[in-house]
Amino acid sequence: MTAVEDRPAREANPAAGAADRPIGFGRIQRKEDPRFVRGKGNYLDDIVLPGMLHGAILRSPLAHARLVSIDTTEALAHPKVRAVITGKDLEGLNLAWAPTLSADVQAVLATDKVRFQGQEVAFVVAEDRYSARDALELIDVEYEDLPVVIDARRALDPGTAVIRDDIEGRTDNHIFDWEAGDAAATDAVFAAADVVVSEEVIYPRVHPAPMETCGAVADYEPIDGKLTLYETTQAPHAHRTLFAMVAGIPEHKIRVVSPDIGGGFGNKVGIYPGYILAVVGSIVTGHPVKWVEDRSENLMSTSFARDYIMKGEVAATKDGRILAVRTDVLADHGAFNATAQPTKYPAGFFSIFTGSYDLQAAHCKVTGVYTNKAPGGVAYACSFRVTEAVYLVERMVDVLARKLEMDPAELRLKNFIRPEQFPYANKTGWEYDSGDYEPTMRLAMEIAGYDDLRREQVQKRARGELMGIGLAFFTETVGAGPRKHMDIVGLGMADGAEVRVHPTGKAVVRLSVQSQGQGHETTFAQILAEELGIPPEDIDVVHGDTDNTPFGLGTYGSRSTPVSGGAVALAARKVKDKARAIAAAMLETRPEDLEWEKGRWFVTGDPSVGKTIQEIALGAHGTVALPEGIDGNLDAEVTYDPPNLTFPYGAYICVVDIDKGTGKVKVRRFVAVDDCGTRINPMIIEGQIHGGLTDGVGMALMEFIGFDEQGNCLGGSFMDYLIPTSMEVPDWETGHTVTPSPHHPIGAKGIGESATVGSPPAVVNAVVDALAPFGVTHMDMPCTPARVWEAMQGRATPPI
Amino acid sequence: MTQISVRVDGASYSDDVEPRTLLVHYLREQLGKVGTVVGCDTSNCGACTVHLDGEAVKSCTVFAVQADGSEVTTIEGISSNGTLHPMQKAFHEMHGLQCGFCTPGMIMASIDLVNDNPNPSDDEVREGIEGNLCRCTGYQNIVRAVQQAAAEMSGGTAPATEALGAQS
């Protein structure tokens, strides 16, 4: 760490956290900590309402089976059971199926058949948590087995069982085909290229597994028809609108409250059947109903991530100029297409797979298929499939480096988009906002001592030891997004912010986004502080309550800083402008004669005469004669429709040692240099990176949701879905550069998902590098000891 | 129903519980001590860690009846008169928490760890909190926090500069 500390950051933006700024950007401690360290957070399961009942879900033990009958008689006879709800009951309410974020439908409770193990079949409402679970055992369900479709590669074979026979006219398991780039131009470049490499690269199914599972407390009040719905949601406003559309409750009668959330990681974006069932349970019983899933339910039935089978190809010249990248992807979406992404992007932003390189052509084709697995796909800090895109290109560049016998760092440096090319239009339709890749790469290599590491590796190889060095250089795509192109089920991806300065100069900022630990209550106060000069401790940040915050799309895709951060800065600037007019009235001068220093308007040429923002606030709420066109108070509201996404980037280097006898991979070092433009709070950024790197190591080495041939989920608890403990991850070595986003109001880019996106290829590239003496050129995640052992013997079994 | 008597965070309680009631549910649902949370169903995550007669236990893996006659300390019982326990203070100062969900259990496990080993090395801290999963922090700042608190708890000075000053 010390090595990093001594290294001056390249500060391209003078606004970025300079030490002489006591207010605003910089390393300040978190405002949310005092309650969390005392056990005084308010999470979903902490909520208790008068008369509250408890719900529990009966789930399918089978992956694909016709539902013959459900007998609830015994469960209903349980003395503490108040209701048992089945798919038939929901059919009567037209709620047995609910629309997904991908214009498909998902069964809330199965009516015709079950389509994945763990699917919701019945809902019990009882007086306490234990009785609700007891009653599940008393429900008798008769199933008739159907053939199971697990391997996405067989899903489209003729004669394969049709999973979605609920959809009129459907005769196969095909969901969509989608493509980007220019196929003909790409084929032409490949046909003429000196060198072509190809590899099947699988990004296996994993799960975000937030420490807190999903849950809801629904409180329907029949007298005024108002529904209050407490939910573990990353997007409370979108949920409110969707509930209005689905359940037919008028939107002004729905209040969605997202309390403190124990981690989201994309798991808590969509609407799960349990949320709808809690609402139905409350309507049916006339009591508030709490539903909280357990860990196994979370892993088996809520949004998985990844599951992309990618055939990657790279065309290059003999001396290492990368010309084109081409890929054909098979996407396993499970039984219902509930993937969360902007409407026009069925494969998310996968087309950013051209990476950080200046290509002549690129093309991708993605085919989505149904299988007998839980729905999901977009989750776990993926930035809408950017994890997959970056993994593909960074793995393939290493494959090319091996083929050309070139150093992978040298190959990357040779092909980077150059700083003067920004804004850079890539070959699949993205316009990268800014970047200066080489210094970031050089800094990572310097921190890692890259040349020394390579020398050490040569010595170790001579002794028969397995040491690997893996690089990844990624470009992220975050901050969805411009309304013109991006919406979630028709809701444009803009975000609102509302700033109020109280008479005594304290302020409140209300957000449409929803923190799940990312520190919004601190960093959004810092943005306002930076703009208005009000200290962060005098600013309260309100989020998560749709009755009390402006509309917006929520927190995921690292979009909070790019979109909501922009909204807050612009709202603050409106306040500042208004404050200028009021200050002018107070000082009996003209607004154009005033100058701003942080927190104060003063008279040009006479800095001693001025009004602080606090004095102006009191004036605005007081009896000062306000100028024409200026009303009282000191408030502003902004909805920010971003002109483009932001494109943060980073250079990661991973060093692994592999035990030759056992196949166990030890991550010895990990260097991460990130560039997210202007840095609002370096401490919080580092924490985000540490967490994301841990995700990446977990995915690369341990995490996997597998299935057997019968469709049994093999990753359905923390006994077999392994996430890193403190023992599997090293001390992280971080560094940074600063290349602001030119279009963003404060030059800031998103950062939350960068490390999860960038780290898996670095780890796998390191593992493959270590295994080079065995002739290994690729191995799929997770690189568990058993699979690494298999790779040493030949080729590891594909993780399908 | 079985009657139990326990002291929790310094107060005495006598309650009827079902023998099958887990300690974590007794604490949360009968006593309202919701600072202690549940993160899994297989005893892996440690989010429910409390002290039972001074030792860290996963309260999802203890029946409330087993705590009869015992002294239980939760995250809500370790600060006194509004003053944070050194471990709570260190987690805040070292940014050892994000979503806060693992934090109560992590802090309780860490206090037990430092009670047993007042001056733990990096590796000893990592091994000591292995039973507590965190999805947000990547553990590094937690390790720093535990070391800072350990120094304060044993009256020494905190090795705080490394993590705090790493970069800005």
Side-chain angles (χ1 to χ4, degrees), chain A residues 501-559:
Chain A
V501 184
H502 298 316
T504 56
K506 316 294 183 191
V508 56
V509 53
R510 298 174 198 277
L511 306 176
S512 58
V513 291
Q514 169 62 16
S515 179
Q516 314 119 45
Q518 299 93 326
H520 291 170
E521 289 170 35
T522 305
T523 51
F524 280 86
Q526 289 183 268
I527 296 173
L528 196 65
E530 180 73 16
E531 293 290 336
L532 289 184
I534 297 171
E537 60 270 24
D538 286 349
I539 298 167
D540 199 21
V541 176
V542 175
H543 56 103
D545 181 343
T546 56
D547 271 7
N548 291 305
T549 53
F551 184 86
L553 271 266
T555 294
Y556 43 83
S558 303
R559 63 188 300 281

Side-chain angles (χ1 to χ4, degrees), chain B residues 3-7 13 52-53 64-72:
Chain B
Q3 196 182 55
I4 59 167
S5 297
V6 287
R7 279 181 69 78
Y13 298 87
L52 183 62
D53 294 327
V65 290
Q66 292 175 281
D68 185 28
S70 294
E71 178 94 30
V72 176

Side-chain angles (χ1 to χ4, degrees), chain A residues 219-234:
Chain A
D219 184 10
Y220 182 74
E221 176 50 68
I223 297 167
D224 58 9
K226 176 124 190 172
L227 171 68
T228 305
L229 182 57
Y230 304 86
E231 280 185 299
T232 51
T233 175
Q234 298 177 220

Side-chain angles (χ1 to χ4, degrees), chain A residues 110-124:
Chain A
T111 50
D112 51 346
K113 60 183 196 178
V114 290
R115 292 173 171 83
F116 68 92
Q117 187 185 53
Q119 188 183 333
E120 299 79 1
V121 172
F123 186 64
V124 168

Side-chain angles (χ1 to χ4, degrees), chain A residues 158-173:
Chain A
T160 304
V162 178
I163 298 168
R164 295 300 302 282
D165 48 355
D166 58 292
I167 303 172
E168 185 82 27
R170 178 160 283 284
T171 55
D172 63 20
N173 295 316

Side-chain angles (χ1 to χ4, degrees), chain A residues 376-398:
Chain A
V378 166
Y380 207 173
C382 77
S383 310
F384 302 115
R385 301 287 189 188
V386 180
T387 32
E388 289 89 327
V390 164
Y391 183 68
L392 177 82
V393 65
E394 286 306 292
R395 190 72 272 289
M396 290 310 299
V397 167
D398 258 38

